[in-house]
Amino acid sequence: LKLLEDQKPTHVLVAFDAGKKTFRHDMFTDYKGTREKTPSELSGQFEIVKEILRALRIPFLQLENYEADDIIGTYSLRAKQANMPTTIVSGDRDMMQLISEHVDLLVMSRKGVTEVDRYDVAALNERYGLSPAQMIDLKGLMGDSADNIPGVPGVGEKTALKLLADYATLEEVLLHTDEISGKSLQSKLREHADLAVLSKELATINRDVPLAEQVDTFIRQQYEPAELLAAFKKYEFRKLIERLKLEEKVYQGVQGQTNPDVSGIPLPDAAQYEGIDTLVDALLTHLSEPESSNVSPHHQVGMYLHAVHEEGEFPIITCAALAVDGFCGYVLLQQADFDQDAEPLSGLKTLFAAQPQLVVPDAKLAQVLLNRLDIELPRGVMDPLLACYLLNPEGGVPDYREILQSRYGWVIPPLAKSSKSSDGDDQKRLRDYATAVAWGGVLLAGALTEELKDAELLSLYEQLELPVTFVLAEMESTGVRVEAQTLRELGQEFSASLAILEQEIYQLAGMEFNINSPKQMGEVLFEKLGLPADKKTKTGYSTSADVLERLAGFSPIVQKILEYRQLGKLVSTYVEGLLKVICPDGRIHTNFSQITTATGRLSSIDPNLQNIPIRLSQGRRLRQAFIPSYPQWCMLSADYSQIELRILAHISGDENMRDAFIQGIDIHTRTAAEVFGVAEEEVTSEMRRAAKAVNFGIVYGISDYGLSQNLGITRKQAGEFIENYFANFPGVKKYMESIVEQARENGYVTTLLSRRRSLPEIKSRNFNLRSFAERTAMNTPIQGSAADIMKKAMVEVHQAIQKSGLASRMLLTVHDELIFEGPAEEMDKLAELVRINMEQAVQLAVPLLVDVHVGDTWFEAK
């Protein structure tokens, strides 16, 4: 996008390599032979790149037996012949041979197109002292290790440049070998002359590729906003959607053309809803009171109640629509009696208590807002977002307007930014919005119920997901108390530790430098201290976390730098970040989302309390700031023990794994003993660590590449480790093979509680897409079942607490852990209640175990 904005091309083309083998392999079998296999984690993304290009209406080409360079070379020549100035954009300096008076080159850095160097003929000559054609001669002499082009052994860039300065071309160098100073160099040139000529041929870009498309085929086209918006939403490119104003463009493109189709829907007498305006005023008054600001940023939003019962552009609507600024939180009162004479809030409570049919996109958010008024939604509410998520969990977070657009062709305007705007357009937009929301609910309610039935998901919706919605709404309203002073003290302590680490790093480096500057750090580590480095680029050496972790064994300074970075992140992201989101009531009110992850796992945002780091002891200490609401209260943590591995033992039927859990044997020790062929008492901590990585890696469909990165071993060793694992746990291997076959046959997989995930790519001809779908088929039943069990446990524990009359309450869910608070005298009873309900949430072939701990803070309870 930046290139298109900056360069403003009239024509554009993207070129891809088509495969591993090209005509150059016929010339030299070992061409690019030293390159490692592209990790599937990367290659699987190329199809996504092409999908985005299609949405941007940017053409792309690839051709068997040729490289992308050859395609670019061919069309840059054709463009030159058509007298069209051309710019090539690449990170590959091999393209320099294509530069001419009509063609220049933008060389990207590691930062991509935000940092590029432009080369034309003059700039190339200034940098290398060569013409574009001589760049091929340069490769012929010095070769290219990246492409395994041999060149002349022993001839580097400096020597090659000197030879070309004297003799202009490789052929001339070889003709004048006797005149070149240095017998050793003369000998090398004579001995490897054929290799040099071959290397030049290999390095030469083919500019006559048989491609039928003419240059004019690639004239730049404007993208279709709706099409691009759909693609960007699929991959959650939120900033790009905002940057291109795609939603606004889509709305403007169809404004006035599309109205909701409400034919066939009965229209009741609008007179019975004349009291709605009174309700609107009452609700807005209550929700704007000062105490209502004690909520998180997610809940601290403008609120609208818009009564649409007027004649005009739209038909009479039976409802009030509750709309939340920036989010999909609406309440539709459909076919329900409204008591006009009652006090407004009391009337609404009475109305909801009668359990009317209610359609509420984002029922959780609506309930959180209504909790401020002590109003409860009917428990049988239809939440279209939740229903659509269950029907298509891999489709990203559902958007209500997008649902209505895709199903009914409605294009609904974005909600007005301010509820108090007097602008006529904003008021019309609000009315249109509320109208479509209301009618959309009417149409969706029945349709989605039938679709849930057909997919055998209605029970999951009614008996698990919807009850969880109300549990989460209560947790969000309650929040968790966080002691700001404790956070500040921890921040001061961490900052003091950072200062000590800083001096230790300076001492080990033998100099002071800016530790937060990757450029300066790279120079210290790789030039001053001589640590092994990746290839240096124009922007310097890479000092990313994975690079530093690989270097940790070479020098103590590396480990100190890693600690410095981690501790710095604790201060900036967590100490300072958490302080910013403590509400006036002294609590943090996070937002738990049911509709984000494809596996059914709950996520936490604004802030993310599931992501507080616990690997570092300092990170765990952040939990010291999370305290009970009242004096003489305690916190209780209940954590499932290895739930995903227990589910794997259950669904795979592997006797070895089941036996370990039934006998109470540490599963990682058992795995290490089996894989390494030693007795369990002989298992070392390193063996157990490796076995643990494999155990959990198997659950997540880890590849040999992923395991090699985790353990710091070769891919071959990792592959052998995985093979050993399957040999000792044959039931797991059999399960994985059978679940993939089942997914291929059905097109989806299910969890223990019938959650469904579609896998259309399982039959794809594309190896990477198919492989990803196969890994997803293996791990979704495990991860998804763990999510289902946790949700079921939350509902049952919540109900048990209510029935018991305890004052204790559930505060947080973090992965496989539930956090509670309550009076100290209730802790024994609460612990037993929680343990029983969590362990008996479902019956497996192996026991579900829960670790329960009590303390004065979350830290002590964990």
Side-chain angles (χ1 to χ4, degrees), residues 335-497:
Q335 306 293 345
D337 293 328
F338 182 75
D339 186 350
Q340 300 178 43
D341 299 323
E343 190 275 326
L345 295 185
S346 173
L348 190 60
K349 287 181 185 179
T350 303
L351 176 66
F352 284 1
Q355 301 293 308
Q357 181 184 357
L358 213 64
V359 182
V360 187
D362 203 340
K364 177 175 65 66
L365 179 54
Q367 183 60 67
V368 170
L369 294 166
L370 292 174
N371 279 345
R372 305 185 208 171
L373 309 175
D374 194 27
I375 295 174
E376 288 190 359
L377 293 173
R379 287 308 196 242
V381 65
M382 163 52 70
D383 184 339
L385 297 185
L386 188 54
C388 286
Y389 161 74
L390 290 178
L391 290 165
N392 183 28
E394 61 280 355
V397 178
D399 178 272
Y400 194 56
R401 290 184 295 127
E402 192 173 292
I403 292 168
L404 295 178
Q405 181 180 342
S406 63
R407 284 174 173 259
Y408 307 119
W410 303 356
V411 178
I412 304 171
L415 198 58
K417 291 294 182 184
S418 170
S419 60
K420 297 182 179 179
S421 172
S422 59
D423 183 270
D425 288 341
D426 280 350
Q427 290 301 313
K428 178 183 181 297
R429 182 171 293 189
L430 174 57
R431 187 193 67 195
D432 293 357
Y433 199 68
T435 302
V437 162
W439 279 119
V442 174
L443 295 176
L444 284 172
L448 290 175
T449 299
E450 289 303 313
E451 289 174 32
L452 289 170
K453 281 182 186 175
D454 292 342
E456 299 180 344
L457 289 168
L458 188 59
S459 176
L460 183 71
Y461 173 83
E462 293 178 340
Q463 298 177 26
L464 185 67
E465 291 292 351
L466 197 55
V468 166
T469 290
F470 291 99
V471 175
L472 293 176
E474 186 174 314
M475 292 164 65
E476 291 183 17
S477 294
T478 302
V480 58
R481 187 178 172 196
V482 180
E483 201 165 48
Q485 183 56 32
T486 301
L487 280 178
R488 293 189 189 99
E489 290 171 0
L490 286 172
Q492 292 168 0
E493 181 184 328
F494 295 164
S495 296
S497 298

Side-chain angles (χ1 to χ4, degrees), residues 293-328:
S293 64
N294 290 336
V295 292
S296 73
H298 178 77
H299 303 134
Q300 199 168 21
V301 292
M303 192 172 187
Y304 305 94
L305 263 170
H306 189 72
V308 186
H309 52 83
E310 57 187 288
E311 293 192 41
E313 185 176 349
F314 294 99
I316 297 171
I317 305 297
T318 71
C319 60
L322 169 72
V324 183
D325 186 9
F327 300 92
C328 295

